[in-house]
Amino acid sequence: MKRNWLPITCVLLVMVSILLTGCGGPAEPVVEEPTEAATEEVAVAATEEAEPIVDDSWSRIQEAGKIVVGTSADYPPFEFVNEDNEFDGFDMALIREVSNALGVEVEIQDIAFDGLIAALKAGQIDAIIAAMSATPERDKEVDFTINYYVGTDAILIKEGSALAFESAEDIAAYKVGVQAGTIHETWVQDTLLATGAMDEANLSRYERAELAISDLKNGRIDVVAMDYFAAKAYVEQGGIVMALEQNLSGENMAIAVREGSTALQEQLNGVIEGLQDSGVVDTLAEEYLGGEVIDAESSETEAVTGPVWEKVLSEGKLVVGTSADYPPFEFINEDNEFDGFDMALIKEIGNRLGVEVELQDIAFDGLIAALKAGQIDAIIAAMSATPDRDKEVDFTVNYYVGTDAILIKEGSDLVLESADDMAGYKIGVQSGTLHDTWVQENLVDTGKTAEADVSRYERAELAISDLKNGRVEVVAMDYFAAKAYIEQGGIVMALEQNLSGENMAIAVREGAEGIRWNLEQVILELQEEGFIDQLAEEYLAGESVE
């Protein structure tokens, strides 16, 4: 109806103009207000012309020739200021090695630990290295690299104190000091305060670790919880002693980058892996941490439980979701039974835990929703522990690391030098996978591929069917799953390339620490025994992905 007012308005304006001219007055210019429809058209046009979000996290650093890294230099031997007023420590030496490998200068900024993530999100720094553990809570705010070091924890008391502890829970009756924002603060909060075992008034949070140590020496608090090696460094300064060594929440130290900084994250991951493989990280540990190998028995935690795990135990059954269309990881065999690498692994885990495993076949992109709704207790489905998924669920340690492949129809003359060359062709991916995410972020969002050229499938086998029938031209999927489909005939591998890194882990509901912890213990045990390598030999042809 609003469009019908336009001709009437024009007539009235002409009449007013004639009257004014007839009266001898000058005709005032008339400014038309844009109609609502016109405004909407402009808004639509602006939306259509909006530039896609580009990840410049690495290119920006290359252009500047410098990476700005935040730390909290009060945590020896990881980060501290030495006698020459220079940043020193394990982390500081490591980040310098990393920057050398990247070919850029490193600028280090000293920031209070609990202000580091805010500084990163505000763009004041490009990354954080500060003996920071990659916890699920932090992973909701930032992205992490692979772990560069795994530590344990310690409880400190004043020298001469008569206090004795059998476990960390025994500190509940005393005045406790922790550095704000650390996993030690989280552990005290979740394990002692939230359970009512400890009074809030007995917990002191400090901006810097050295302030907690000062108060411990001066008798203002009774105990301090911190990283084992940082504790050792403070013990060497005198006045305090170590009362207990115990792994509280697991210190999986990693470098933090801003959310979505995939380009920078990948560069850092590659360098860290290289430094680990070449022995540089071990050499730095020898120099700064006394070369100590933390004994698994001495740092062993007490068994962790919780309502989800108690329910599993009481029912004697672990309900696990999978998507059984992804051989050789999960599929239905000729006997109509669940089979594959993941299926054999989860059955062995169930055996070790003393519970039956009930498997449910669910479309891959519906697995997380089923987990969050309580329909299943866990997911095993060649699922990578990505930062995006980690915002919705919690993951165990990785049980396997894979790579990826691009498939084409047998007889196709397509030649791909890299995964980016898929742009311009009709692409098939399984919905909800990291391949779906990679195509979206690297091809669709950058304008290289039209949204209409990407077909997303509930099940991988449907993508393969459409590839064979010519409805799509390429399919991106896991390398070993691709090999299994190739054996069925009709398709070939055009390219093997690691897209986003397949760090396969078992998913559990957020906060289900009991079930996560118990699954992890068995995974670590199976890795140590070589059982997982045996399964890889059986189901994945024992191939080592370069």
Side-chain angles (χ1 to χ4, degrees), residues 5-21 27-33:
W5 287 101
L6 189 56
I8 299 171
T9 303
C10 290
V11 172
L12 289 172
L13 288 170
V14 171
M15 291 175 66
V16 169
S17 177
I18 292 169
L19 287 170
L20 288 172
T21 304
E28 293 290 332
V30 178
V31 180
E32 282 194 48
E33 293 295 326

Side-chain angles (χ1 to χ4, degrees), residues 286-417:
E286 181 75 34
E287 179 181 352
Y288 287 98
L289 310 180
E292 289 200 33
V293 177
I294 297 166
D295 184 58
E297 291 182 7
S298 66
S299 62
E300 194 173 294
T301 60
E302 293 183 13
V304 177
T305 188
V308 178
W309 179 238
E310 291 295 334
K311 176 175 173 288
V312 169
L313 287 179
S314 66
E315 295 179 355
K317 180 174 68 177
L318 179 68
V319 184
V320 179
T322 193
S323 183
D325 61 337
Y326 214 61
F329 293 96
E330 36 268 330
F331 60 95
I332 304 295
N333 63 22
E334 294 173 354
D335 298 324
N336 203 34
E337 295 173 341
F338 287 102
D339 203 349
F341 177 81
D342 285 351
M343 303 296 91
L345 176 60
I346 198 64
K347 286 170 185 171
E348 182 61 25
I349 289 173
N351 288 338
R352 304 269 179 127
L353 291 173
V355 296
E356 175 195 347
V357 172
E358 178 186 308
L359 292 164
Q360 292 191 11
D361 189 13
I362 300 169
F364 189 89
D365 62 353
L367 283 167
I368 287 179
L371 179 62
K372 293 169 75 174
Q375 297 168 23
I376 52 179
D377 302 314
I379 298 169
I380 189 166
M383 180 177 279
S384 295
T386 65
D388 286 340
R389 289 177 184 143
D390 213 10
K391 293 178 176 65
E392 297 191 80
V393 298
D394 289 345
F395 283 100
T396 63
V397 293
N398 298 332
Y399 61 82
Y400 196 76
V401 178
T403 189
D404 310 288
I406 310 300
L407 298 176
I408 56 175
K409 185 177 180 179
E410 196 168 29
S412 168
D413 57 2
L414 288 185
V415 177
L416 308 175
E417 293 186 2

